[in-house]
Amino acid sequence: MPRLAVLIVLALLTGCGVAPDSPLADQCDTVPPGAERVVLRAGSGVRLGAAVVGPPGAPVGMAVAHGAGHTLCDWLPAMSALAERLRVRVIVPDRRGTGSSEGDGEVGELAADLQTALTWLHDQGATRLAALGSSYGGPIAVLAAQRATSLPMCVAIAVSPLTGIEGGVAPLAEDRPVRSLWTVAETAFGANATALFEKVPQATKGRLKILPVDDHSLGLLRGHPEAMTFVEDALRTC
């Protein structure tokens, strides 16, 4: 089994670590200034632990679906810096069954869970919404954007994405468009990014970028400024 596949399987078995309403400092070694704990009520009564950064009155909000080996703690520093630069509000929920979220990691609920996060942003005043997913979270974000027809979606962003997840996350089989799709990936995940970009219907064509590097997911954004700039350019279309 490829090393990345092994890491994904191990990550999916880690389970919930802290309570959804626990202080962020009890979960994360580093908590950016201004980050706040949020508890989302998802399907079947499952509580999802999340964190939000960025100005409460921001008109643009983004929900993040992290990768299989991550929790919200991994993403908070980078998303806090992005939120400050672009003046957007960003919510990062832990995937159900992981980190601070309850549940057993039911795959078929993952897109709906991200829609719950998007709805929370909308209820808080965001008038334009984006979904970002990385690695395992990539197809979750795209599928959530396809299905969020009652929300003011402006863009879906996929970073080093898988094309789907067995058990109920299949954006390539969904006959619904996203408003716009921006995909960026390293060489090894270039075929996945290309497949999503070319096969998922888009109301307005986004952009595809493949970087000749090996860094994956959050490592791609951290290690290569052009990848993070790509994400920010996608958000600027909102």
Side-chain angles (χ1 to χ4, degrees):
M1 182 182 293
R3 181 173 180 272
L4 181 61
V6 172
L7 292 175
I8 289 175
V9 169
L10 291 175
L12 293 174
L13 296 175
T14 56
C16 181
V18 299
D21 56 357
S22 62
L24 286 172
D26 288 355
Q27 180 182 2
C28 306
D29 292 334
T30 301
V31 179
E36 299 178 7
R37 168 67 80 185
V38 173
V39 179
L40 304 172
R41 184 71 65 172
S44 303
V46 168
R47 295 184 304 160
L48 305 176
V52 64
V53 293
V60 175
M62 181 171 72
V64 176
H66 61 67
H70 293 153
T71 68
L72 64 82
C73 299
D74 299 292
W75 281 82
L76 269 186
M79 293 300 96
S80 178
L82 179 149
E84 183 175 352
R85 286 193 300 270
L86 272 61
R87 308 302 296 170
V88 301
R89 202 165 198 204
V90 182
I91 187 169
V92 187
D94 275 326
R95 189 178 62 254
R96 58 171 59 206
T98 300
S100 57
S101 288
E102 298 172 343
D104 296 323
E106 303 94 331
V107 171
E109 300 295 329
L110 297 179
D113 289 347
L114 197 65
Q115 284 179 255
T116 298
L118 290 164
T119 299
W120 184 89
L121 288 168
H122 189 234
D123 290 345
Q124 293 292 310
T127 57
R128 298 183 296 281
L129 299 172
L132 182 150
S134 181
S135 190
Y136 189 92
I140 297 169
V142 174
L143 184 59
Q146 287 175 306
R147 292 181 174 177
T149 55
S150 64
L151 294 174
M153 300 300 302
C154 55
V155 68
I157 307 166
V159 179
S160 303
L162 303 180
T163 55
I165 306 168
E166 186 176 355
V169 180
L172 296 182
E174 196 85 3
D175 189 23
R176 307 186 201 187
V178 295
R179 180 69 179 270
S180 180
L181 176 60
W182 288 53
T183 57
V184 60
E186 72 279 20
T187 301
F189 276 68
N192 290 348
T194 300
L196 281 176
F197 184 77
E198 292 182 348
K199 296 179 182 179
V200 170
Q202 302 180 52
T204 300
K205 202 73 168 179
R207 284 178 52 194
L208 168 68
K209 189 177 187 70
I210 310 300
L211 297 176
V213 298
D214 296 326
D215 293 306
H216 180 69
S217 185
L218 187 54
L220 182 68
L221 300 181
R222 286 174 172 167
H224 304 279
E226 60 268 46
M228 183 61 84
T229 297
F230 182 91
V231 170
E232 294 180 2
D233 286 345
L235 279 172
R236 289 189 180 99
T237 67
C238 291

